[in-house]
Amino acid sequence: MLSSSIIKLVGAPIEIGTSEPGAVMGPAALRTAGLVRVLQDLGHTVHDLGELSPDGTLGQRTLPAIRAWTTDISSVVETALDEGHLPVVVGGDHSLSLGSIDGALRHCARTGRPLFVLWLDAHADFNTLETSPSGNVHGMPLAALCGEPGFEALFEAGERPLLDPARVHLFGLRSIDAGERALVTQRQVNIVDMRTIDEFGVVAPLRRILDRVAAANGHLHASFDVDFLDPTIAPGVGTTVPGGATFREAHLIMEMLCDSGLVGSLDVVELNPFLDERGRSARVLVELVASLFGRRIIDRPTEVPPLET
């Protein structure tokens, strides 16, 4: 099981970081699909903190507006972790991870634990303002969090802990821009792309990551983008890329994360109900989150029973 049975759920209806409207409805869609009820049925206490709404950001697509979101999300996540709870931030586009990971970094800096990030996503999201073809901030959060120049306006003034790119694990990568490809390689970000998954499956690569986090007594932040999944399974996302993870592969990843007990914070991002099919993607995401928090078809025995003769 995960490290806390008390979940702090917070909606981050942010779509400042993307040019595709609709992600603002993501948190409401996940609640409508039964996210809170499912977690409670699994025995977890859920404190639903509702939707964040930073002052002065309505209709704004500016760097100060993104900073307001980052500051509010960071504060909520840091407070939840300081209280010994597990924050789950549902969005909203992937720029919300600027706040959730910043909050986790601040908590880990005080507790002396290294922060590792498992980035379940079709994209690397390691663009800078110079390398990004689109200029959309939801493709830049990892670069900003790792301290690449040009992102100072996205965070509160003053010293802040930086994410170590060597502790970032991109998982499911299948689309990367030329500029960020060079930067990811230079910064030694860890990559498990879909070619690796096709060859070896998800178990061996994920187990190596989990073993590394466990050996370092690390805090694992999982950030799950809907486009990690193949669009035939979850079409409700503005950045579809064919050839993503299957339904069963995604469930297995969530079950392994649950078994590890290492996940200390979670994002679920980029759900766009406007592009979905009758709530299909929202229901899939709720099922996957349920697996991460302990849902099983049957309890797995700790020992394999002998065959009957």
Side-chain angles (χ1 to χ4, degrees):
M1 295 294 290
L2 297 182
S3 57
S4 173
S5 62
I6 299 178
I7 297 167
K8 289 290 184 71
L9 179 68
V10 58
I14 179 175
E15 60 180 25
I16 297 176
T18 178
S19 56
E20 185 71 53
V24 69
M25 300 182 288
L30 288 169
R31 288 187 172 89
T32 302
L35 179 60
V36 174
R37 174 184 52 79
V38 164
L39 293 173
Q40 290 172 336
D41 287 348
L42 290 168
H44 300 285
T45 299
V46 181
H47 296 168
D48 190 345
L49 305 182
E51 314 289 283
L52 292 178
S53 182
D55 293 338
T57 62
L58 184 62
Q60 297 292 314
R61 299 183 64 84
T62 62
L63 292 181
I66 296 174
R67 182 174 65 244
W69 276 101
T70 298
T71 301
D72 280 12
I73 296 169
S74 176
S75 177
V76 169
V77 168
E78 183 181 8
T79 298
L81 291 171
D82 289 347
E83 294 171 345
H85 302 158
L86 196 153
V88 176
V89 184
V90 294
D93 74 67
H94 220 152
S95 62
L96 70 83
S97 294
L98 290 163
S100 60
I101 294 178
D102 183 69
L105 280 166
R106 293 176 187 276
H107 169 78
C108 288
R110 282 198 311 278
T111 58
R113 295 180 67 194
L115 178 71
F116 293 82
V117 172
L118 179 64
W119 199 259
L120 297 156
D121 198 322
H123 306 88
D125 292 346
F126 216 96
N127 267 307
T128 66
L129 296 170
E130 288 72 32
T131 65
S132 173
S134 68
N136 290 329
V137 177
H138 74 160
M140 307 180 190
L142 285 175
L145 289 159
C146 289
E148 294 299 323
F151 294 106
E152 292 77 15
L154 299 183
F155 301 91
E156 284 190 309
E159 187 175 355
R160 64 180 175 94
L162 298 178
L163 178 62
D164 184 348
R167 291 177 180 153
V168 174
H169 291 267
L170 306 179
F171 204 94
L173 181 68
R174 58 192 188 277
S175 177
I176 188 168
D177 297 316
E180 67 177 341
R181 182 196 302 272
L183 190 56
V184 162
T185 302
Q186 184 180 2
R187 299 295 185 257
Q188 299 184 316
V189 175
N190 303 279
I191 298 175
V192 176
D193 61 7
M194 287 307 299
R195 166 68 184 268
T196 303
I197 292 173
D198 288 342
E199 290 191 25
F200 303 104
V202 299
V203 173
L206 182 56
R207 187 162 287 154
R208 283 195 291 270
I209 296 169
L210 296 176
D211 288 347
R212 182 186 181 208
V213 177
N217 188 31
H219 174 112
L220 180 61
H221 179 95
S223 194
F224 189 100
D225 189 313
V226 182
D227 70 22
F228 170 73
L229 300 166
D230 192 85
T232 59
I233 300 167
V237 62
T239 51
T240 56
V241 183
T246 67
F247 185 70
R248 218 11 267 170
E249 286 172 334
H251 266 292
L252 180 54
I253 289 167
M254 295 301 163
E255 290 163 357
M256 289 179 65
L257 290 174
C258 179
D259 291 344
S260 76
L262 294 170
V263 176
S265 45
L266 171 68
D267 302 329
V268 181
V269 306
E270 296 285 354
L271 174 62
N272 188 328
F274 184 73
L275 303 174
D276 205 5
E277 300 172 359
R278 299 172 64 89
R280 178 180 174 189
S281 302
R283 291 194 296 270
V284 167
L285 287 176
V286 169
E287 291 294 315
L288 292 173
V289 173
S291 288
L292 177 59
F293 282 94
R295 177 181 282 177
R296 295 287 183 270
I297 297 174
I298 59 172
D299 292 330
R300 297 183 64 187
T302 55
E303 296 182 3
V304 178
L307 294 174
E308 295 184 2
T309 57

